[in-house]
Amino acid sequence: MTPGSAEALLSLRNLRLDVTGDDGDIRPILRGLDLTVRAGEAVGLVGESGSGKSMTLRCIARLTPPGARVGGDVLVGGRDVNRLRGKDLRRFRQTEVGYVFQDSRSAINPMHTIGDFLLETARDRGQDVDAARASAVDVLTRMGVSDPERRMRQYPFELSGGLLQRVMIASVIMVQPVLLLADEPTTALDVTTQADVLALTDRLRRDLRIAMLFVTHDLDLATAVCDRIAVVYAGLIVEVADAETARRAPVHPYTRGLLSCRPPLATRLDRIPVIAGTPVSATDSGTGCPFAGRCPVRISPCDTTPPPALEHVGGRVHCHRAEEIIAGALDHELPLTGAVTAPTTAPAQGGRDER
Ligand SMILES: Nc1ncnc2c1ncn2[C@@H]1O[C@H](COP(=O)(O)OP(=O)(O)O)[C@@H](O)[C@H]1O
Ligand SMILES: [Mg+2]
């Protein structure tokens, strides 16, 4: 990553988010994220459930929960998103960023046809109706929806989950935002449909030069469609790496754990493997490395001192033992496929979702 690069489309600088709990206590959720996404680039935001991935997207789109306090900078196209007001904020949300959630069925009015939904969305975003109809047909076709004219006359209940998710993605892409925020967009779909929908979305967004921040708990999936990967743990980015490095030689012990959690495709396991130990929340982690309690190569500074950032040829990592890991000196303690145990009780957070 080029730090402070002028060509960055999205820049998160020391992004922090606190929420106020029911008891009135302030809970940190994000604790200083630094990340850039260049125009047209796809970056995966990967981590276990509860690590802060969705909240990061919500900060970018200014959709944080009531009472949340955001600190640091969110810059899109050089503009500070947190300073946008009124008409500018609406325009930003409707035309510059596109947001796709896991569950489209709840986001589409069941009483309206697919065509009404697509055209209304386009009209809200200032597109002319005829142009919108043409672009809806075009984008639906490119998302693999056959007979799009007929589909546009149907109601949401007549479409499968996979088709509806294609429609949702089409509705966002037809407006040609500069940045697609995709929050586990295919997690609810079966594995084959998931791969198809992702591949089509990726081709389309590359053709239109739309950048993407892709949230998933599945590191393998992220490396398949993204140029770079940012790994999130307890409200912090612990590692940023190009996809190749993330897939073959990540540095952070947490990233290595995530990588080795992927069950072999050909095998059906009774239990999905997870990294040993329980994820800590941003609120409960202390001053040192948040992963220290689960880390197989922890040393005493890990408990007390924030790990410094180390830039290397494949990315950036925050780990006290990064240099030793890069040199291969800890391979016997940290094999790429070894830092894993099968859970003895119900699968822990993050291992629950179907892959
Ligand atoms: N609406 C909300 N209000 C307050 N806290 C929330 C809200 N949604 C999520 N959180 C908390 O924020 C943290 C990060 O959540 P989230 O970003 O949804 O995680 P992820 O998407 O990585 O699974 C979690 O500890 C979660 O409990
Ligand atoms: Mg989430």
Side-chain angles (χ1 to χ4, degrees):
M1 190 175 66
T2 20
S5 132
E7 53 178 335
L9 169 71
L10 168 72
S11 271
L12 304 181
R13 289 195 205 137
N14 194 21
L15 175 65
R16 282 161 288 124
L17 175 73
D18 294 324
V19 297
T20 311
D22 293 337
D23 49 9
D25 278 2
I26 309 269
R27 288 181 52 207
I29 302 288
L30 303 176
R31 300 187 292 153
L33 270 61
D34 289 298
L35 185 67
T36 57
V37 178
R38 291 185 282 269
E41 188 186 28
V43 174
L45 204 56
V46 179
E48 287 164 296
S49 175
S51 54
K53 307 179 297 293
S54 297
M55 283 298 193
T56 304
L57 295 196
R58 289 175 67 166
C59 287
I60 297 166
R62 280 273 297 274
L63 293 169
T64 47
R69 277 205 326 243
V70 179
D73 295 326
V74 178
L75 306 175
V76 175
R79 279 190 314 165
D80 184 347
V81 168
N82 287 317
R83 288 176 194 271
L84 296 177
R85 299 281 178 270
K87 198 155 51 71
D88 290 339
L89 179 57
R90 262 201 317 281
R91 229 194 113 265
F92 168 75
R93 287 202 189 119
Q94 287 171 345
T95 65
E96 289 187 43
V97 290
Y99 213 132
V100 181
F101 303 89
Q102 183 173 328
D103 177 19
S104 326
R105 209 169 285 279
S106 63
I108 299 182
N109 186 334
M111 310 297 277
H112 290 190
T113 63
I114 299 301
D116 285 345
F117 164 69
L118 289 170
L119 299 184
E120 261 166 44
T121 310
R123 192 171 331 122
D124 286 349
R125 293 165 180 176
Q127 263 188 341
D128 157 274
V129 176
D130 288 337
R133 185 178 297 278
S135 90
V137 170
D138 173 49
V139 174
L140 285 175
T141 308
R142 290 162 79 176
M143 279 306 294
V145 177
S146 55
D147 202 354
E149 315 261 7
R150 181 172 70 88
R151 293 299 184 192
M152 286 171 70
R153 291 192 296 273
Q154 292 187 309
Y155 287 87
F157 76 88
E158 298 177 86
L159 272 60
S160 68
L163 262 179
L164 212 53
Q165 196 61 323
R166 289 169 206 252
V167 167
M168 180 51 95
I169 294 168
S171 78
V172 166
I173 287 189
M174 63 188 260
V175 184
Q176 300 207 12
V178 289
L179 176 64
L180 180 61
L181 302 172
D183 195 346
E184 310 251 12
T186 59
T187 304
L189 310 178
D190 67 73
V191 175
T192 322
T193 314
Q194 170 164 336
D196 285 351
V197 172
L198 261 187
L200 289 164
T201 305
D202 195 49
R203 170 129 44 93
L204 189 50
R205 64 137 212 108
R206 279 180 202 272
D207 287 350
L208 299 173
R209 278 189 61 76
I210 298 170
M212 173 167 76
L213 197 51
F214 173 62
V215 160
T216 175
H217 60 274
D218 187 335
L219 178 59
D220 239 26
L221 191 65
T223 61
V225 290
C226 294
D227 304 304
R228 284 188 305 132
I229 305 295
V231 180
V232 191
Y233 190 79
L236 289 168
I237 289 179
V238 297
E239 178 158 23
V240 180
D242 60 66
E244 184 65 12
T245 303
R247 182 167 41 234
R248 300 170 64 105
V251 178
H252 202 284
Y254 178 61
T255 318
R256 291 197 172 201
L258 283 180
L259 200 64
S260 53
C261 279
R262 176 86 182 180
L265 274 178
T267 328
R268 234 197 122 67
L269 300 178
D270 289 341
R271 297 196 183 101
I272 296 170
V274 294
I275 303 173
T278 314
V280 292
S281 72
T283 313
D284 298 331
S285 45
T287 51
C289 172
F291 190 60
R294 299 167 83 186
C295 184
V297 295
R298 154 197 190 174
I299 47 176
S300 53
C302 305
D303 293 325
T304 50
T305 316
L310 178 78
E311 303 270 352
H312 60 96
V313 65
R316 175 186 102 213
V317 61
H318 299 254
C319 171
H320 285 289
R321 308 205 71 183
E323 284 181 29
E324 294 163 273
I325 294 171
I326 291 169
L330 300 180
D331 281 354
H332 57 295
E333 288 172 81
L334 205 59
L336 267 177
T337 51
V340 153
T341 56
T344 47
T345 55
Q349 274 188 308
R352 186 176 50 84
D353 310 81
E354 283 178 20
R355 284 149 198 253

